[in-house]
Amino acid sequence: MTKICIDADGCPVVSETIKIAKEFRLEVIIFCDTSHLFEIEGVKTVVVSKGADAVDFELVNRIKKGDITITQDYGLAAMVLARGAYVMNQNGLQYTSNNIDQLLYSRHLNQKIRQAGGRTKGPKKRTKETNEIFINNFRKLCEYVIKNNNE
């Protein structure tokens, strides 16, 4: 059975994800560290101790082929893709084998700029339209995954 795993630390679309997952009768698991607390009826929460990438590794260890993950972390997205699962970010962008290398490279370049004392742009302010794009794309992804897992 397909499950939805949410990298919930700083994720702005937890409630939207849960609502759509319920429409498709998909299990949702929220992954977070001890600095966040999620208690949502009907949703399992996995809390791990604080630590670099602790949440990421816990999520990757539980992901199965055909599952869906919601995260904005490119490194986690790459690990999830390697497990044969689907990944989408909070803006509705689906990470794939066709775009993950470029995203990781861009992250690396931005990190180099910051380490050298330069500045990079932060994320854009979240809008109602951004939420609508996420909702539409996530719903399409759920439909696709369910269709392909039942064939």
Side-chain angles (χ1 to χ4, degrees):
M1 176 80 175
T2 299
K3 66 182 173 294
I4 311 293
C5 296
I6 304 173
D7 177 15
D9 293 342
C11 181
V13 291
V14 172
S15 60
E16 291 87 348
T17 302
I18 292 168
K19 181 179 178 189
I20 294 167
K22 284 181 180 179
E23 290 174 20
F24 290 96
R25 296 187 185 126
L26 296 171
E27 176 187 12
V28 176
I29 305 174
I30 294 175
F31 292 82
C32 60
D33 67 27
T34 55
S35 63
H36 298 88
L37 184 59
F38 290 90
E39 291 185 26
I40 301 169
E41 188 177 331
V43 176
K44 182 177 180 181
T45 301
V46 174
V47 180
V48 299
S49 56
K50 290 182 189 178
D53 302 320
V55 170
D56 298 353
F57 292 127
E58 184 67 28
L59 190 153
V60 167
N61 286 331
R62 292 180 185 227
I63 203 83
K64 302 280 188 257
K65 183 177 181 177
D67 288 344
I68 302 171
T69 296
I70 305 299
T71 185
Q72 61 185 338
D73 182 323
Y74 299 156
L76 175 57
M79 291 187 286
V80 169
L81 287 170
R83 301 286 299 243
Y86 301 91
V87 193
M88 182 171 281
N89 76 5
Q90 74 281 0
N91 297 328
L93 172 69
Q94 186 174 344
Y95 300 113
T96 67
S97 58
N98 295 326
N99 67 13
I100 195 66
D101 288 338
Q102 180 60 43
L103 292 167
L104 288 167
Y105 184 67
S106 294
R107 179 180 77 168
H108 172 73
L109 288 179
N110 284 333
Q111 188 175 30
K112 288 280 196 193
I113 291 167
R114 288 189 302 273
Q115 286 173 345
R119 300 182 93 174
T120 58
K121 289 183 178 179
K124 292 180 183 176
K125 186 174 180 184
R126 192 144 192 92
T127 65
K128 181 180 176 188
E129 290 78 21
T130 308
N131 278 349
E132 290 172 4
I133 291 168
F134 171 80
I135 289 166
N136 290 333
N137 290 351
F138 182 60
R139 187 171 275 122
K140 287 177 189 172
L141 178 59
C142 288
E143 289 170 355
Y144 174 83
V145 169
I146 288 171
K147 180 181 177 221
N148 287 315
N149 283 351
N150 291 331
E151 289 183 348

